[in-house]
Structures are given as C-alpha cells and as structure tokens.
C-alpha cells in the first residue's frame, strides 16, 4: 500500500500476448500488478499467442485493435478489485510492442475527447478504426514495399544511415505504404496513424498522442539525427502521411493531463500526467538500468545486446534507435541468432551433455586459447550472415578441426563473445575504462561463461534479479516525465540493483585485443 501522501505512478505494458499494469511508488517499488491475457481472457477474438494469423497467408499477423481497448477496460476493473486508489497516481506512462500500427477512422479524435464515463471504452470506440485489424510486429507481408523503401534512398546502407535500420517487413513505414496501396479507401478515411504505444497513450489522454522519438525510430521513416520524418520515405506511405502521423516528440515528455473519462469513471486526479509511451525495447533499456557506459547482454536462445551510444554508426542488420532517456544519445540492439542452442550443441558434443563438465573443460584451457577462434553458426546468423562451423588458427587460416575438446569448447565461447564485441564496437559502442556489462537471460547463471564474457570485453560483469524490464521501464518513464515537468530536482530511483559477478583479468586486453582484430579480418574476408 502507498503511504499517505506518497505519490504513485502507473506503468502499462501492451505486449504481444497481454496487457499489464504496475503501480509503483516514487522509489519504484511495486505496489500492485495486474495482467489481462488476450488468448485466455478475451477468447472472442480467437487469438493465438495474442495475434490472428491468416491460414491462407501465414505471413500476416494482426490483432483486432478493439481487443486491446477491451483489454484496458478489463485491466482497469482488475485494478479496482485490487483496491488501487487511482487518486494517488500522479503520472502514467507505458510501453508496447514496437512497429505495430493503429489506424484511427475520421472522427475518432472527436470520439476520444467526448467519451461517456458511464460506459466501457471498447463499446464507444468499436467503430473508430478504419483498419480494424492492426498489423503487429510479427507481420511480414510487405516485401514489395520494402524494396521501394531501400530504392528511395539509394540502398540498404543508406536507409540504415538515415533511419537506424535497413528495411524490415515488420517496420511501420512499409506497413503503412502497403495499406495505402492495397486499401486506398480505408487509408483516405484514416484520420491519424498511431504506433501501438502512442495508441494506448491516446486512450488515457483523450486525444491522439504523438509518437515518441524512440519508438518512431523503429519505423524506417524518421531521420535519426533530425528527428523528423524523411520526406522521400514519407512519400511512399501515401497522401498526407505527415498529417496522419503527426510530429514525433521527445521520449518521456509530458503530453498533458489524463482525460476526463478516467477522472470521472475511476477517480483519477485531473492533474494526473500522461507521459509519452514508448516501445518495449527502449523501455527495457530503461528498466534494465542500462546507462552511459553500460552494455546489456541477454544470453538466451538468441543473444541480444542493448547498448547506449553517444555517436551512432549504423551497421547492416543492427538496429539503432533514439535513446529514450537522452534525446542527444542513441541506443542499439544487436541480435545474434546462435546463442544458447549453439552453446548447448557444443556441450552435448564435447562435454557429455553436462554444464559442469563443459565449465571444467572451459576453465582447463588458457585464456586466448593459443589464438584459436571457433565460429559455430548452426542457424543462419544475422551478424555476420553466415552458416556452418568455421575454425581458425592465430594466423587466421581455416582449419578442419581443433586438437582437443577443451580447445573446441573455449574456441566456441570466445568466438561468440568476440563476435559480440566486434559488432558492438562497429556500431559505435566505446569499450573503455568505465564499461560495465549487465548479463541477463538463462545462461547468465553460468559463472564460467560470464568470466569469458568479462575477459573478452575487458569489463566487469554484473547480474540482477529477473524483472519485467519493459514494464519497470514504463513506470520509470512516468516518474521521470513527472519530475522533469515539475522541474523537481529529486534524485530518481534506479531500477538496477546489480551484483558484481566477475572482473576481467589484468592482461585480458593484451590477449583479446589482437584476437578481435583477427576476427575482424576473418569476418571481412570470409563473410562480407
Ligand atoms: C524489435 C521487435 C520486437 C517487438 C516485440 O524490433 O520487433 O522486439 O518489439 O514486442
């Protein structure tokens, strides 16, 4: 329970499969948490994993927009049952799946501003969407539009330089272009276009909320540096796209006060602020506590890196987004497909299917492994685009095998982490004195692996207890937006309570510096 007079903050998370809410105090401690699962609690929409996949066209993955509205009605009811005192909430923010889009019908803005507090939102907004099924981030039906996006600016590298990513079928720009071409009538009847994050913010705001810079950088539409829609890309989206999208705004900026609907229906304070909602990846960066000098490494089925960048250097197949905490900074996401499954296969082949044995063999070999590097791409890798097993000696010559299983194991682990370091540096991350690594995901419980991660990056490695980082990030956005708006100089709570697990050996850079250089030569020579 919130202490008397203590302000509370509401964070929402509209992810693929569910809508969640968390109420926190100003120390970011959770007071309440509620969830609405789409498949099980809204069965009338027949979703599977939160989306509707077309049998005839399996690339098409949509969700009824009104289902998300109804989920909010249900969630609010659950918060009432949990005795949440809405009058104590001073600010709201949220996070949502990136790239998905919502198409508001002409007149929707008017409807949003005049909602009847005695009735549910979904009943009043049922006909407010010109495209009733929102394309989600899982949709991949925009092949031809994608081609047009890259051609419009002179190729994939150019598009990545401008927008932070080469074109992707799930990205919102090509999705809007497809709708305007295939369904010109509905496009014409579209008053405004939202991302899923700004759509959810709109419901609280009582008017269409602007898109924040961070989520806008997942659209292949915005110029990362100027924070404006790129005119040549905007043109591909259809007539009047600029008006339909509205101008993007800084992340975590205060958008205004909560709508009278929520004040009258739920007893919110009319001064309660709505702070710009963002995408789940930017919010995760916030919630994980990644700040300048920190690198987040999630070790899962695939390994994903979250980086804080001051100067972005886009690479093909990596994503650069505007930083949600600092409009002059950037963040990057790098995804490596061959993570835990590749590590497991090596374990099964060389370490009798035992992690203990794997760790024992790993620790019995010298750091640097005599210069041997192993790259094991069981699945077509993203960074670099490569497939198969490759083994190299310290002269970068290709070998058919290594002489022992210990060498195989260390080569595989060092190869993975050196590759992550190579691409981190390429995209603009500066590994230096103050660099710290936050390891999350299943494999972050393996200390022997983390020691190699620490040595290859020459940086200490920390872990933290698992939390829903996107949702905690959303609550943090609310606190940040609120304090910035009130110009309060309170110290913000930090979501991160990291525990130091490993530190690099002193000579790690002497060993791994030259190996990264070798790997760079190998990647350029063999995979690019
Ligand atoms: C990122 C992406 C996913 C969604 C999931 O590019 O597509 O992480 O944001 O919600």
């Amino acid at each position: 329970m919130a202490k008397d007079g203590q302000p509370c903050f509401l964070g929402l998370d509209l992810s693929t499969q569910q809508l969640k809410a968390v109420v926190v105090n100003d120390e970011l401690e959770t007071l309440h948490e509620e969830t609405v699962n789409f498949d099980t609690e809204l069965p009338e929409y027949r979703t599977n994993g939160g989306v509707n996949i077309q049998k005839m066209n399996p690339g098409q993955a949509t969700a009824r927009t009104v289902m998300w509205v109804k989920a909010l009605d249900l969630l609010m009811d659950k918060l009432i049952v949990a005795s949440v005192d809405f009058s104590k909430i001073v600010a709201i923010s949220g996070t949502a799946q990136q790239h998905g889009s919502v198409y508001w019908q002409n007149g929707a803005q008017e409807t949003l501003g005049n909602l009847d507090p005695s009735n549910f939102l979904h009943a009043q907004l049922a006909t407010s969407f010109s495209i009733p099924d929102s394309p989600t981030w899982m949709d991949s039906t925009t092949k031809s539009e994608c081609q047009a996006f890259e051609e419009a600016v002179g190729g994939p590298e150019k598009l990545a330089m401008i927008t932070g990513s080469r074109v992707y079928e799930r990205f919102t720009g090509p999705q809007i272009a497809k709708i305007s071409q295939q369904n010109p009538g509905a496009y014409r009847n579209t008053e405004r276009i939202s991302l899923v994050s700004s759509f959810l913010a709109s419901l609280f705001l009582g008017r269409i909320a602007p898109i924040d810079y961070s989520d806008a950088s997942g659209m292949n539409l915005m110029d990362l540096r100027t924070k404006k829609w790129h005119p040549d890309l905007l043109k591909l989206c259809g007539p009047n796209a600029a008006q339909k999208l509205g101008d993007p705004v800084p992340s975590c900026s205060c958008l205004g006060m909560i709508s009278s609907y929520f004040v009258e229906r739920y007893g919110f304070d009319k001064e309660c602020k709505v702070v710009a909602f963002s995408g789940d990846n930017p919010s995760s960066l916030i919630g994980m506590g990644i700040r300048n000098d920190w690198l987040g490494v999630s070790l899962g089925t695939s390994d994903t890196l979250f980086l804080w960048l001051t100067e972005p250097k886009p690479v093909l197949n990596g994503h650069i987004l505007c930083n949600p905490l600092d409009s002059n900074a950037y963040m990057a996401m790098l995804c490596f497909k061959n993570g835990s499954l590749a590590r497991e296969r090596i374990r099964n082949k060389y370490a009798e299917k035992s992690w203990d044995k794997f760790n024992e063999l790993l620790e019995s070999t010298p750091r640097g492994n005599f210069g041997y590097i192993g790259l094991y791409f069981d699945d077509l890798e993203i960074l670099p685009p490569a497939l198969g097993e490759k083994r190299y000696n310290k002269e970068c010559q290709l070998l058919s095998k290594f002489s022992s299983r210990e060498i195989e194991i260390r080569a595989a682990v060092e190869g993975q982490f050196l590759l992550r370091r190579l691409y981190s540096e390429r995209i603009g991350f500066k590994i230096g004195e103050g660099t710290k690594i936050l390891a999350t995901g299943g494999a972050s419980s393996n200390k022997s692996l983390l020691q190699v991660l620490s040595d290859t990056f020459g940086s200490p490695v920390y872990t933290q207890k698992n939390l829903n980082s996107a949702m905690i990030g959303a609550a943090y956005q609310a606190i940040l937006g609120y304090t910035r708006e009130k110009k309060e100089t309170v110290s913000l709570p930090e979501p991160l309570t990291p525990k130091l697990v490993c530190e690099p050996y002193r000579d790690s850079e002497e060993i791994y510096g030259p190996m990264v250089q070798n790997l760079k030569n190998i990647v350029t020579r063999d995979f690019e």
Side-chain angles (χ1 to χ4, degrees):
M1 271 291 156
K3 290 179 217 120
D4 271 352
Q6 192 181 30
C8 294
F9 300 85
L10 176 63
L12 281 304
D13 177 9
L14 206 180
S15 63
T16 317
Q17 309 201 27
Q18 61 220 348
L19 175 65
K20 285 191 185 169
V22 64
V23 179
V24 301
N25 62 17
D26 54 2
E27 278 148 36
L28 211 57
E29 288 161 348
T30 300
L31 306 174
H32 300 278
E33 215 178 295
E34 292 296 336
T35 303
V36 172
N37 180 283
F38 306 142
D39 290 1
T40 55
E41 292 176 76
L42 291 160
E44 61 274 35
Y45 295 99
R46 297 171 200 282
T47 54
N48 194 347
V51 292
N52 302 112
I53 309 269
Q54 301 300 317
K55 268 211 188 80
M56 307 296 285
N57 184 5
Q60 192 172 326
T62 56
R64 272 275 133 130
T65 314
V66 77
M67 173 182 81
W68 293 332
V69 182
K70 196 166 179 183
L72 180 59
D73 286 325
L74 282 182
L75 189 70
M76 293 307 296
D77 282 353
K78 287 193 180 194
L79 292 170
I80 294 179
V81 173
S83 308
V84 171
D85 180 353
F86 295 110
S87 71
K88 290 218 167 72
I89 294 174
V90 296
I92 302 176
S93 191
T95 187
Q97 58 164 293
Q98 291 202 258
H99 321 300
S101 44
V102 167
Y103 300 80
W104 298 93
Q105 173 104 289
N106 277 328
Q109 176 102 268
E110 176 82 19
T111 312
L112 266 180
N114 293 292
L115 292 166
D116 171 5
S118 66
N119 201 352
F120 284 115
L121 286 173
H122 75 270
Q124 302 182 71
L125 293 171
T127 58
S128 289
F129 305 105
S130 49
I131 300 285
D133 296 293
S134 282
T136 68
W137 69 279
M138 294 170 77
D139 191 277
S140 57
T141 55
T142 59
K143 204 167 195 278
S144 59
E145 291 76 16
C146 281
Q147 212 179 335
F149 269 66
E150 292 196 332
E151 279 166 10
V153 291
E157 284 89 359
K158 290 258 172 61
L159 189 66
M161 282 308 291
I162 298 167
T163 69
S165 299
R166 68 184 301 172
V167 79
Y168 288 93
E169 294 195 44
R170 67 185 188 285
F171 274 44
T172 330
Q175 290 284 348
I176 300 173
K178 183 187 112 182
I179 284 176
S180 76
Q181 280 158 34
Q182 294 188 355
N183 210 338
Y187 179 82
R188 223 175 300 116
N189 288 335
T190 301
E191 184 169 85
R192 295 290 303 269
I193 300 170
S194 293
L195 290 182
V196 184
S197 59
S198 62
F199 147 78
L200 187 58
S202 308
L203 300 180
F204 285 98
L205 200 58
R207 61 185 156 81
I208 310 294
I211 296 172
D212 85 304
Y213 290 162
S214 291
D215 217 6
S217 36
M219 299 172 78
N220 280 140
L221 269 186
M222 191 182 73
D223 184 323
L224 267 188
R225 291 167 182 83
T226 63
K227 314 312 194 234
K228 301 223 180 308
W229 306 124
H230 189 278
D232 297 341
L233 298 170
L234 202 56
K235 238 186 258 163
L236 299 172
C237 290
N240 305 321
Q243 287 90 319
K244 291 185 202 282
L245 286 164
D247 290 335
V249 297
S251 302
C252 299
S253 53
C254 182
L255 305 178
M257 304 305 164
I258 194 164
S259 82
S260 58
Y261 175 87
F262 284 87
V263 175
E264 287 166 38
R265 187 173 172 91
Y266 298 106
F268 276 88
D269 186 302
K270 62 179 183 351
E271 297 294 312
C272 172
K273 295 174 179 32
V274 180
V275 175
F277 287 30
S278 194
D280 51 8
N281 292 301
S283 299
S284 278
L285 177 106
I286 299 179
M288 282 196 279
I290 304 296
R291 303 291 180 262
N292 203 353
D293 288 339
W294 278 88
L295 171 84
V297 178
S298 161
L299 298 168
T301 308
S302 15
D303 291 349
T304 306
L305 267 57
F306 282 89
L307 308 113
W308 179 294
L309 303 180
T310 41
E311 193 43 50
K313 292 192 205 149
V315 293
L316 276 187
N317 304 323
H319 301 297
I320 294 192
L321 307 173
C322 291
N323 191 301
L325 290 174
D326 177 352
S327 293
N328 295 315
Y330 301 86
M331 64 173 279
M333 280 191 304
L334 298 177
C335 187
F336 299 84
K337 247 197 193 158
N338 293 284
S340 286
L341 294 184
R343 288 185 284 269
E344 257 165 56
R345 187 179 66 80
I346 299 287
R347 179 203 64 178
N348 294 349
K349 190 163 171 194
Y350 300 109
E352 300 148 28
K353 301 189 177 172
S354 148
W355 282 120
D356 288 342
K357 187 76 197 165
F358 181 95
N359 293 346
E360 185 192 314
L361 292 168
L362 178 64
E363 283 168 12
S364 70
T365 37
R367 285 170 297 117
N369 211 11
F370 316 104
Y372 293 124
I373 295 178
L375 300 173
Y376 303 85
F377 304 119
D378 293 359
D379 256 336
L380 179 61
E381 188 48 89
I382 301 172
L383 294 163
L387 187 65
E389 289 186 3
K390 309 273 181 228
R391 296 172 178 82
Y392 300 91
N393 64 14
K394 73 171 187 303
E395 281 80 37
C396 304
Q397 289 158 329
L398 203 54
L399 306 176
S400 57
K401 62 181 174 60
F402 291 134
S403 57
S404 73
R405 55 186 190 156
E406 291 90 317
I407 291 185
E408 288 283 356
I409 287 176
R410 185 167 274 279
V413 176
E414 290 186 348
Q416 280 193 334
F417 293 149
L418 286 170
L419 203 56
R420 281 122 189 82
R421 171 169 163 182
L422 174 67
Y423 279 98
S424 300
E425 292 186 310
R426 272 202 184 174
I427 207 157
F429 188 78
K430 292 193 183 66
I431 296 171
E433 281 287 289
T435 308
K436 298 183 194 74
I437 298 177
L438 178 74
T440 59
S444 65
S445 57
N446 183 334
K447 212 179 148 200
S448 307
L449 277 183
L450 297 189
Q451 185 60 53
V452 182
L453 177 65
S454 178
D455 286 324
T456 47
F457 278 78
S459 310
V461 174
Y462 295 74
T463 55
Q464 66 176 4
K465 67 175 187 315
N466 264 346
L467 41 79
N468 178 348
S469 50
M471 194 167 67
I472 290 296
Y476 185 93
Q477 289 161 210
I479 302 180
L480 182 64
Y482 175 80
T483 46
R484 277 186 186 163
E485 180 72 9
K486 296 204 87 175
K487 306 210 169 30
E488 283 183 0
T489 45
V490 296
S491 61
L492 285 160
E494 276 306 319
L496 187 66
T497 42
K499 198 175 108 213
L500 178 66
V501 206
C502 319
E503 286 194 272
Y505 283 90
R506 278 233 189 94
D507 59 351
S508 66
E509 196 47 30
E510 282 158 44
I511 297 171
Y512 292 108
M515 282 178 85
V516 183
Q517 192 51 47
N518 274 1
L519 184 60
K520 188 174 170 188
N521 298 338
I522 290 168
V523 165
T524 324
R525 184 191 68 194
D526 293 356
F527 306 114
E528 289 175 342

